Amino acid sequence: MNEYQLLNPYTAKALEYALAISYLLLFIPFWRFVQGEAVPAHALGFGWFQVPNGVHLHAGHAWARPEGGAVEVGLDDFAHKLVGPLETVRFPEIGAPVRQGQKAFTIVAGGQPLDVLSPVDGHVIALNEAVRAHPADALRDPYGAGWLMKVEPRWLTGNLKNLFSGDAARRFLDAAAGKLAQRLTPQLGVVLQDGGTPVHGIARALDEDHWDELARRFLEGK
C-alpha cells in the first residue's frame, strides 16, 4: 500500500484539489506571457494562439490559404511567438518545386536557422519581398501581410486533407500550447509575474540553451 492509499478520503481529495489549483496557477503566468499583458483568472483557457477561418495548418506550423489558382503560404501564429522576431527568411527560388512535408524555406531567429516544411505540393510563383526586406514585421500579421510565398498547387485537394482547418486547427494549436505549458517552471512563472519576458520568443524563455532544439521539434511536426 502506498502513502497516497493511507490517506483518508477527505485528505486525499484535498490533495487532489491542491494539485489542480497549483497547475492552474502555473498557467496564469504562461497566459500573461503569451498575451503580453496581465489578464484576469476568469479569462484563462485555451485559444492562446490564433488561426482565422480559411487557413489550413500543417503539423509543422506552416499555413496554406487557397487564393484563386494559387496558395499563399506562411508561418502560423504559434511558430512566430515560439521563435520570436525573424532576422532572415531564406526563400526558395521562383519556380522551385515544393513538396508537402518537406523543407520549403528557412527562417533565422536568435541566430539559429530553422527549416519550415511546405504545407502543399507545387511550384513557387511569388515571394513576399516586403518580408524579405523586413522579416521581423511578419509576426505583426502572420496570416495577412506576413505571408511568405505563393505556390501554384499540384495536388491541392489531396494536400488539404492532410492539413488542419476550422475547429481542428484550433484544437491543434491548443495541443501545442499545452505542450509548452508543461515545460513552464515555477521559476519562470515568477519572472513573468514580475514583469515578464517579451511575448515573442517563448522557446528562448523556456530553454535558453537549447531553445532551437525545442523549436525544431515543433517545426518538424513532432
Side-chain angles (χ1 to χ4, degrees), residues 159-180:
N159 286 163
L160 293 181
K161 293 179 181 178
N162 299 324
L163 305 180
F164 303 99
S165 62
D167 288 340
R170 285 180 274 276
R171 288 193 296 270
F172 166 64
L173 293 185
D174 285 349
K179 290 179 182 179
L180 285 180

Side-chain angles (χ1 to χ4, degrees), residues 16 39 46 56 69 90 107 128 207 210:
E16 290 177 2
V39 295
F46 289 103
H56 304 260
R90 298 174 184 170
I107 59 174
N128 191 333
D207 190 344
H210 306 288

